[in-house]
């Protein structure tokens, strides 16, 4: 892409703030709302925050790692930033749309770039009924919870609870149990990315469950529906040879 106006956004850590100050001295910049491209300095958490910030008015985000893992980020460097932006590869991802209803009958909506998950709120396990595209697929899952991850988010929480890594172009969603007790042998499912997933919380009054879309949480839910929001296109920029597809592929080989 041909870069035009640039904005810098940094996490509150010292390394990120110092990196932002250095780049702002070297390159002309505007506010994030006015920019054609946003350069995010921090870790994966900051990248998710920036993507959420511009969810309703998406613009390309180029991350540079000033955090810990930096799976979604490029390597930090102060030189040739405009050339790097001009030569960057674009990865387009869609978020999950979560629609939840709580035990008081209130409706809640949120989007998730990585995952939507349900998690028990007390010492008691959750009891969940899972339907896909209107058909009941699991009458009762007894577990700590269940998680639905996008391909972009499959290497995050999904991987840590034993879910599969999905190539970015696989057009799949991962449905993964969190510490399943019954049925013991259910390890989850791979679903087409157009699937609509509905999860009902059984005995929600005595076994309260929270629903989370990335970092947005609603407590004491009784139903949760989620599906891919194809109307929202989020653009990540990566240096050649370090695209999100390549990073996901590398992750599968350790």
């Amino acid at each position: 892409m041909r870069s035009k106006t640039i904005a810098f956004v940094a996490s509150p850590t010292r390394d990120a703030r110092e990196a932002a100050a250095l780049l702002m001295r070297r390159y002309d910049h505007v506010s994030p709302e006015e920019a054609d491209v946003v350069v995010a300095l921090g870790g994966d958490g900051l990248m998710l925050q920036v993507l959420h910030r511009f969810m309703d008015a998406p613009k390309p985000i180029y991350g540079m790692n000033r955090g810990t893992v930096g799976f979604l980020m490029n390597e930090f460097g102060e030189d040739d930033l405009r050339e790097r932006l001009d030569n960057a590869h674009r990865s387009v991802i869609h978020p999950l749309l979560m629609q939840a209803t709580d035990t008081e009958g209130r409706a809640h909506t949120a989007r998730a770039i990585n995952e939507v998950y349900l998690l028990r709120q007390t010492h008691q396990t959750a009891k969940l009924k899972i339907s896909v595209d209107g058909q009941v697929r699991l009458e009762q899952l007894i577990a700590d919870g269940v998680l639905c991850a996008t391909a972009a988010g499959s290497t995050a929480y999904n991987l840590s609870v034993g879910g599969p890594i999905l190539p970015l172009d696989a057009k799949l969603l991962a449905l993964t149990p969190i510490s399943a007790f019954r049925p013991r042998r259910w390890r989850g499912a791979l679903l087409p990315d157009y699937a609509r997933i509905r999860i009902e919380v059984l005995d929600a009054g005595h076994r309260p469950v929270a629903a989370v879309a990335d970092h947005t949480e609603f407590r004491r839910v009784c139903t949760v529906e989620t599906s891919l929001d194809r109307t929202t296109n989020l653009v990540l920029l990566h240096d050649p040879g370090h695209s999100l597809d390549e990073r996901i592929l590398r992750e599968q080989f350790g």
Side-chain angles (χ1 to χ4, degrees):
M1 62 166 287
R2 297 302 302 176
S3 61
K4 295 182 180 179
T5 55
I6 303 172
F8 297 100
V9 176
S11 67
T13 66
R14 179 177 177 180
D15 284 348
R17 288 187 287 108
E18 289 180 349
L22 177 64
L23 292 172
M24 291 170 76
R25 287 194 296 268
R26 292 195 57 175
Y27 300 95
D28 293 335
H29 57 278
V30 297
S31 71
E33 287 69 26
E34 298 174 301
D36 297 310
V37 59
V38 174
V39 175
L41 298 148
D44 291 336
L46 177 72
M47 176 62 84
L48 290 179
Q49 291 175 25
V50 174
L51 288 169
H52 275 280
R53 176 176 173 179
F54 297 104
M55 187 79 73
D56 295 323
K59 56 185 65 188
I61 311 296
Y62 180 88
M64 286 204 276
N65 189 22
R66 291 285 84 186
T68 306
V69 179
F71 181 80
L72 299 174
M73 316 301 274
N74 299 286
E75 291 184 4
F76 175 75
E78 60 179 284
D79 297 326
D80 304 319
L81 176 59
R82 286 197 172 275
E83 288 77 8
R84 291 175 73 177
L85 293 174
D86 291 342
N87 295 321
H89 292 176
R90 296 163 59 95
S91 297
V92 179
I93 61 175
H94 307 291
L96 287 166
L97 174 64
M98 180 183 80
Q99 296 172 305
T101 303
D102 65 25
T103 55
E104 300 296 321
R106 293 170 297 200
H108 306 280
T109 301
R111 289 186 179 90
I113 295 160
N114 276 353
E115 70 275 315
V116 166
Y117 64 91
L118 281 74
L119 193 67
R120 63 175 177 158
Q121 292 179 211
T122 69
H123 65 281
Q124 291 183 300
T125 55
K127 290 187 177 181
L128 309 171
K129 181 179 181 179
I130 300 175
S131 302
V132 179
D133 293 328
Q135 183 174 350
V136 176
R137 292 295 183 179
L138 202 55
E139 285 285 353
Q140 183 173 267
L141 169 66
I142 303 175
D144 282 355
V146 68
L147 177 152
C148 179
T150 64
S154 66
T155 57
Y157 191 12
N158 173 70
L159 180 61
S160 72
V161 296
I165 296 175
L166 304 178
L168 197 62
D169 60 355
K171 299 189 182 303
L172 294 170
L173 299 174
L175 186 65
T176 306
I178 302 173
S179 301
F181 180 66
R182 290 284 190 277
R184 287 191 185 278
R185 295 190 179 183
W186 191 63
R187 294 292 181 263
L190 291 176
L191 304 175
D193 67 359
Y194 55 78
R196 298 186 64 85
I197 302 161
R198 177 181 172 87
I199 303 169
E200 299 174 52
V201 180
L202 307 178
D203 198 13
H206 294 91
R207 296 173 180 266
V209 170
V212 183
D214 282 351
H215 53 258
T216 302
E217 178 179 328
F218 304 110
R219 298 178 76 80
R220 291 190 169 272
V221 298
C222 55
T223 63
V224 172
E225 295 186 1
T226 188
S227 59
L228 211 59
D229 177 10
R230 297 181 178 280
T231 66
T232 302
N233 299 318
L234 304 175
V235 179
L236 283 74
L237 301 177
H238 289 100
D239 294 328
H242 297 276
S243 68
L244 196 54
D245 303 86
E246 175 63 22
R247 287 162 185 254
I248 290 173
L249 185 60
R250 284 187 209 162
E251 195 75 12
Q252 296 179 77
F253 291 91

